[in-house]
Amino acid sequence: MEAVCSKKLIKSKSGLRIVVTNDKFRSPFLLCEPQWTPDSESTNCTACKVKFDFVTRRHHCRRCGLIYCGSCCESKMGLPRMCFVDPVRVCNRCAFVTNKESDFFDRQLKTLTSGATFLLDQRLSACPDSVNSLVCKLSQDHRYLVFEGRTADSVSSVELHQVKTLGVARDPDTGTKFF
Ligand SMILES: [Zn+2]
Ligand SMILES: [Zn+2]
């Protein structure tokens, strides 16, 4: 199910980005680059309202595209959701959100793509007498939940956007559903 997808390097005014050539293989976790607010539409900083002049210059946040003064847009950080190669300038509000997300991208997403072994609910199994455990993991393009293991033939991949509800399975004996 996991197709090989090629990537290309593109240069936008915000910096270099590595993106997939075919949108079909685009990770659902990615964000589009925002349109930059034109300089002429902003005489004051979006956050602190200081007036721009020759000394107080305009800076665009690469995540929201709005215009800020230097001190309200001073962080440079990695923005994996927009595929930037290098850290880019973001406003303080977007820096806060990006920081919160970085844990998901740095750690949890790797855990999801590595996968884990699950016991399959008997009611979901096509062959109740077989070993009902399989490895569930997120595909490399983050678009599918894929299943591997001896019983995997009876369970097809699930496209992530088709998953409607998620729960946490703590104990197989309780029969808690995990999706
Ligand atoms: Zn400001
Ligand atoms: Zn921003």
Side-chain angles (χ1 to χ4, degrees):
M1 191 44 123
E2 223 170 300
V4 178
C5 58
S6 52
K7 298 191 172 183
K8 63 181 175 185
L9 194 63
I10 58 167
K11 189 170 179 358
S12 75
K13 57 185 169 184
S14 299
L16 282 177
R17 301 166 65 217
I18 295 179
V19 297
V20 292
T21 45
N22 187 341
D23 265 358
K24 228 176 79 184
F25 301 118
R26 203 167 167 270
S27 162
F29 300 123
L30 297 186
L31 294 172
C32 293
E33 260 194 273
Q35 291 277 350
W36 280 18
T37 302
D39 283 3
S40 56
E41 281 184 21
S42 202
T43 52
N44 300 75
C45 170
T46 306
C48 73
K49 308 299 178 200
V50 69
K51 199 169 168 47
F52 296 123
D53 55 28
F54 202 67
V55 181
T56 309
R57 312 303 296 261
R58 293 170 170 84
H59 298 279
H60 280 91
C61 168
R62 271 54 173 173
R63 180 167 174 140
C64 66
L66 299 175
I67 302 177
Y68 298 88
C69 71
S71 53
C72 292
C73 197
E74 61 187 354
S75 305
K76 282 200 162 190
M77 48 177 43
L79 212 48
R81 295 190 74 187
M82 288 187 194
C83 307
F84 284 113
V85 175
D86 298 310
V88 291
R89 188 186 285 274
V90 287
C91 71
N92 295 346
R93 196 179 54 164
C94 288
F96 179 76
V97 178
T98 305
N99 254 330
K100 291 210 163 237
E101 286 172 350
S102 67
D103 200 42
F104 174 74
F105 278 88
D106 292 346
R107 297 193 312 121
Q108 281 122 338
L109 201 52
K110 287 195 176 76
T111 306
L112 290 169
T113 49
S114 307
T117 304
F118 290 88
L119 288 175
L120 192 63
D121 190 317
Q122 291 283 340
R123 288 164 294 178
L124 296 175
S125 176
C127 35
D129 297 330
S130 62
V131 180
N132 286 312
S133 72
L134 42 77
V135 174
C136 173
K137 64 182 186 179
L138 193 62
S139 62
Q140 286 303 318
D141 62 10
H142 308 149
R143 295 173 56 244
Y144 293 93
L145 287 174
V146 290
F147 303 96
E148 292 169 359
R150 279 203 284 166
T151 52
D153 288 348
S154 58
V155 186
S156 46
S157 299
V158 177
E159 203 163 357
L160 207 59
H161 74 78
Q162 290 180 333
V163 176
K164 294 202 169 59
T165 56
L166 279 174
V168 179
R170 290 187 181 81
D171 184 345
D173 292 333
T174 65
T176 311
K177 284 183 187 173
F178 53 93
F179 63 82

